[in-house]
Amino acid sequence: MIDLYTAATPNGHKVSIALEELALPYTLKVLDLSKGEQKLPDFLAICPNGRIPAIVDREADDFAVFESGACLIYLAEKTGQLMPTDAKGRSRVLQWLMFQMGGIGPMMGQANVFFRYFPEKIQPAIDRYQGESKRLFTVLDSHLKDHEYLAGDYSIADIANWAWVRTHRWSGVEVDDLPHLKRWLDAIRQRPAVLRGIEAPPSRINLTKDGDDAAKKFSEEARKMVEMGQNQSAASKDKP
């Protein structure tokens, strides 16, 4: 049994999708990020960084894994699925997984901050992160022109990238001019395990489209979390 500590975010859904695809039994432990539950001592003992998701493998002496990419690799290697075992195949999957971890996630995350969450609209920052997100989408589109999935067969690389790219409208970036990326997005969206995964837990708003009053409230809460993180960072720098 796996304990999944998570919330309704792209990073959280990466792991719930993988668990559903692998048909691994798991217990969902949803943290309320707006209340700072990810900073409580019990969770920090599992994830020192205080970020979701994290897993605890109860069948492996309560072994804890934090960071979404590390969780995906652990689950794939535990089951022998969603990642090849040969060196080249494994490397291809890890390359596209790192592409998401180091590019897609950070750039879209910053686009969200400046486009959605900050009350001040700093246009150069918005342009920077939306532009870089679009460039990365173009990289994906170019690769997917000649490949059904990112690294051979469907893998954790597809899961990781899809969980973020599907929310492109929330970041203010359109993909209508990227037909191969759209084909891939639609194909993965049809998988039953993926549909179950993005409901574990369900988001309070639809991150795949522009929103309404609920979206505005969500953005306000997200802004408070961003500001709280900044204040914590500043406080830690001031400590002797």
Side-chain angles (χ1 to χ4, degrees), residues 60-72:
D61 299 321
D62 295 344
F63 184 67
V65 185
F66 68 96
E67 289 295 324
S68 59
C71 292
L72 291 177

Side-chain angles (χ1 to χ4, degrees), residues 205 211-220:
I205 62 167
D212 47 20
D213 290 341
K216 293 178 181 178
K217 182 178 179 182
F218 180 89
S219 295
E220 291 171 359

Side-chain angles (χ1 to χ4, degrees), residues 5-94:
Y5 294 82
T6 190
T9 72
N11 282 336
H13 285 150
K14 288 181 339 190
V15 180
S16 55
I17 290 170
L19 286 165
E20 291 289 343
E21 291 280 13
L22 296 167
L24 285 171
Y26 66 99
T27 300
L28 197 64
K29 297 182 178 292
V30 181
L31 302 185
D32 190 331
L33 305 184
S34 66
K35 294 181 179 179
E37 291 181 352
Q38 72 277 21
K39 302 298 183 182
L40 295 178
D42 286 350
F43 183 65
L44 291 175
I46 297 168
C47 175
N49 195 34
R51 295 285 192 276
I52 61 92
I55 59 175
V56 176
D57 189 347
R58 298 302 181 188
E59 296 177 351
D61 299 321
D62 295 344
F63 184 67
V65 185
F66 68 96
E67 289 295 324
S68 59
C71 292
L72 291 177
I73 294 169
Y74 178 83
L75 294 172
E77 292 182 337
K78 175 183 175 71
T79 60
Q81 299 178 61
L82 295 177
M83 183 168 64
T85 56
D86 67 286
K88 290 182 179 178
R90 184 176 186 275
S91 177
R92 291 188 186 99
V93 169
L94 293 180

Side-chain angles (χ1 to χ4, degrees), residues 24-187:
L24 285 171
Y26 66 99
T27 300
L28 197 64
K29 297 182 178 292
V30 181
L31 302 185
D32 190 331
L33 305 184
S34 66
K35 294 181 179 179
E37 291 181 352
Q38 72 277 21
K39 302 298 183 182
L40 295 178
D42 286 350
F43 183 65
L44 291 175
I46 297 168
C47 175
N49 195 34
R51 295 285 192 276
I52 61 92
I55 59 175
V56 176
D57 189 347
R58 298 302 181 188
E59 296 177 351
D61 299 321
D62 295 344
F63 184 67
V65 185
F66 68 96
E67 289 295 324
S68 59
C71 292
L72 291 177
I73 294 169
Y74 178 83
L75 294 172
E77 292 182 337
K78 175 183 175 71
T79 60
Q81 299 178 61
L82 295 177
M83 183 168 64
T85 56
D86 67 286
K88 290 182 179 178
R90 184 176 186 275
S91 177
R92 291 188 186 99
V93 169
L94 293 180
Q95 288 173 55
W96 285 107
L97 175 61
M98 296 306 117
F99 177 85
Q100 184 278 307
M101 299 292 295
I104 292 286
M107 294 301 104
M108 292 185 69
Q110 290 301 315
N112 292 345
V113 167
F114 287 101
F115 179 63
R116 292 282 180 187
Y117 306 150
F118 274 9
E120 304 85 6
K121 297 305 177 185
I122 307 172
Q123 197 59 46
I126 294 173
D127 293 344
R128 153 67 178 159
Y129 292 112
Q130 287 182 338
E132 182 62 6
S133 295
K134 184 59 177 275
R135 186 191 71 79
L136 295 170
F137 292 171
T138 303
V139 173
L140 290 173
D141 184 72
S142 178
H143 181 72
L144 290 166
K145 178 180 179 181
D146 300 312
H147 301 83
E148 182 178 8
Y149 296 111
L150 291 176
D153 293 334
Y154 178 72
S155 71
I156 57 173
D158 296 289
I159 292 172
N161 282 277
W162 184 87
W164 272 96
V165 177
R166 79 180 191 95
T167 68
H168 62 90
R169 288 192 181 92
W170 189 252
S171 303
V173 184
E174 290 299 330
V175 298
D176 289 342
D177 58 336
L178 303 175
H180 312 295
L181 183 64
K182 287 183 64 179
R183 184 269 307 164
W184 172 83
L185 284 169
D186 291 340

